[in-house]
Amino acid sequence: QKEVEQNSGPLSVPEGAIASLNCTYSDRGSQSFFWYRQYSGKSPELIMFIYSNGDKEDGRFTAQLNKASQYVSLLIRDSQPSDSATYLCAVNSWMDSSYKLIFGSGTRLLVRP
Amino acid sequence: GAVVSQHPSRVICKSGTSVKIECRSLDFQATTMFWYRQFPKQSLMLMATSNEGSKATYEQGVEKDKFLINHASLTLSTLTVTSAHPEDSSFYICSATPDGAGGSYNSPLHFGNGTRLTVT
């Protein structure tokens, strides 16, 4: 069973702080990693994707990937109350003769004003 | 770009009836679309992969006769929940990635807005 693990939280940070969200995955063959944000009652929206080891920055967001440790993280700088949501880590895995996107259970982030 | 439209956004039906959910890629073609289901406070679980012009591929534990998928064109996939029961109440979300973008291997999935199904 290929798995993606996330701490369910909630992770509570004050406004303006850095929020760090972590994710581990079990499939060593995975090559593509995605972070989605999901507000309550809404569908997920893509924040970032990363394919190579190291850091990838996009505005206030930085994704970090370490394939050797099977670990991917998302940093949110200058956190805003509007960032309060559930963040889903997703990993592409080869299963049943095709690539499928496997989601973690999500980490709930709460940014306190 | 890469907009996925899903309809209806919310539906309430009586037990035993069938409900059809439509998923359209508005500005791209998608040979493959994916249907997910999300129960409260749980993550997204892949139900099936919809393939244009061929049969859908269902995940283990998903009843293909209950969840009928039709992918009639490169921009439309439908999911029909047949003989719905209260335990089918959930948030159903479709997703797709544009053809030619590298496939589902490394292309991000774009999600529709979801359909909240309530079976009474």
Side-chain angles (χ1 to χ4, degrees), chain B residues 40-118:
Chain B
K41 300 191 184 303
Q42 294 186 25
S43 191
L44 280 73
M45 297 300 296
L46 180 64
M47 297 177 65
T49 302
S50 173
N51 304 298
E52 188 269 339
S54 64
K55 291 183 179 180
T57 305
Y58 291 82
E59 295 302 303
Q60 191 173 10
V62 178
E63 300 175 57
K64 62 180 180 181
D65 294 330
K66 181 172 183 63
F67 298 99
L68 301 180
I69 291 174
N70 184 283
H71 197 144
S73 75
L74 289 173
T75 59
L76 173 64
S77 175
T78 61
L79 169 68
T80 301
V81 183
T82 63
S83 187
H85 291 284
E87 57 265 30
D88 298 323
S89 298
S90 188
F91 191 45
Y92 293 85
I93 317 173
C94 72
S95 62
T97 188
D99 286 348
S104 59
Y105 169 63
N106 60 6
S107 298
L109 286 182
H110 301 275
F111 286 88
N113 289 330
T115 297
R116 187 160 304 281
L117 171 63
T118 303

Side-chain angles (χ1 to χ4, degrees), chain A residues 4-13 17-25 33-38 45 47-48 50 55 60-66 70-77 79-80 82-90 105-111:
Chain A
V4 178
E5 301 283 345
Q6 293 181 259
N7 188 316
S8 61
L11 172 66
S12 181
V13 301
I18 296 175
S20 177
L21 305 162
N22 305 315
C23 171
T24 59
Y25 58 95
F33 308 88
F34 307 88
W35 282 100
Y36 287 84
R37 177 174 60 196
Q38 186 176 27
E45 54 180 323
I47 297 176
M48 289 192 70
I50 186 167
D55 295 358
R60 294 187 298 113
F61 299 97
T62 298
Q64 299 174 318
L65 174 61
N66 184 326
Q70 295 174 245
Y71 176 93
V72 58
S73 65
L74 179 70
L75 300 178
I76 306 175
R77 289 181 298 281
S79 296
Q80 301 297 309
S82 58
D83 294 327
S84 298
T86 296
Y87 289 79
L88 302 171
C89 172
S105 57
T107 298
R108 191 159 68 93
L109 173 66
L110 177 63
V111 181

